[in-house]
């Protein structure tokens, strides 16, 4: 019974996290988590997810998971997305 906390104590320890406003933000956060992206590269991940179509980003993410078993996966992701983004911009529609 001593482990039982009051409602006020529970509310003080609660951490409130905002939900992403856009789908591309959620996708970027998933990539950052999955590939252990360093803090100085996080902005680039957000930019890629905002700029390119969700299917292109997800394909690059899946290719990275399949092909890069060791090392810096985030770096490999940038190489793959660079190759996939060589397609004309008219074909890629950013997420909103």
């Amino acid at each position: 019974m001593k482990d039982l906390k009051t409602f006020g104590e529970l509310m003080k320890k609660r951490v409130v996290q905002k939900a992403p406003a856009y789908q591309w933000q959620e996708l970027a956060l998933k990539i950052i988590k999955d590939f252990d992206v360093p803090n100085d590269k996080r902005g680039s991940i957000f930019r890629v997810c905002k700029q390119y179509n969700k299917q292109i980003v997800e394909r690059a993410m899946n290719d990275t998971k399949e092909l890069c078993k060791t090392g810096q996966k985030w770096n490999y992701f940038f190489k793959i997305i660079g190759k996939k983004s060589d397609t004309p911009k008219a074909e890629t529609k950013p997420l909103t």
Side-chain angles (χ1 to χ4, degrees):
M1 285 298 234
K2 291 185 179 188
D3 292 337
L4 191 60
K5 309 236 181 209
T6 65
F7 184 72
E9 289 174 355
L10 291 174
M11 292 304 290
K12 287 179 186 176
K13 292 183 180 182
R14 189 180 86 169
V15 177
V16 178
Q17 279 188 327
K18 284 185 165 182
Y22 300 101
Q23 286 182 345
W24 60 266
Q25 290 174 329
E26 190 172 337
L27 182 60
L29 291 172
K30 180 173 175 27
I31 293 170
I32 289 168
K33 181 182 173 195
D34 289 352
F35 296 157
D36 294 323
V37 178
N39 288 337
D40 62 329
K41 301 296 181 187
R42 289 177 60 142
S44 299
I45 296 290
F46 281 105
R47 190 176 320 115
V48 164
C49 291
K50 182 177 181 183
Q51 185 176 4
Y52 295 105
N53 189 318
K54 181 178 179 181
Q55 287 78 21
I56 291 174
V57 175
E58 286 179 338
R59 191 175 313 134
M61 185 175 70
N62 291 334
D63 289 350
T64 300
K65 287 179 182 178
E66 183 178 324
L67 298 172
C68 185
K69 300 296 181 189
T70 61
Q72 296 176 333
K73 292 183 179 185
W74 60 269
N75 199 7
Y76 200 83
F77 172 78
F78 284 128
K79 289 179 183 179
I80 290 177
I81 199 72
K83 300 255 191 248
K84 301 234 185 255
S85 66
D86 289 341
T87 60
K89 295 291 182 195
E91 292 181 22
T92 60
K93 296 176 187 171
L95 296 172
T96 53

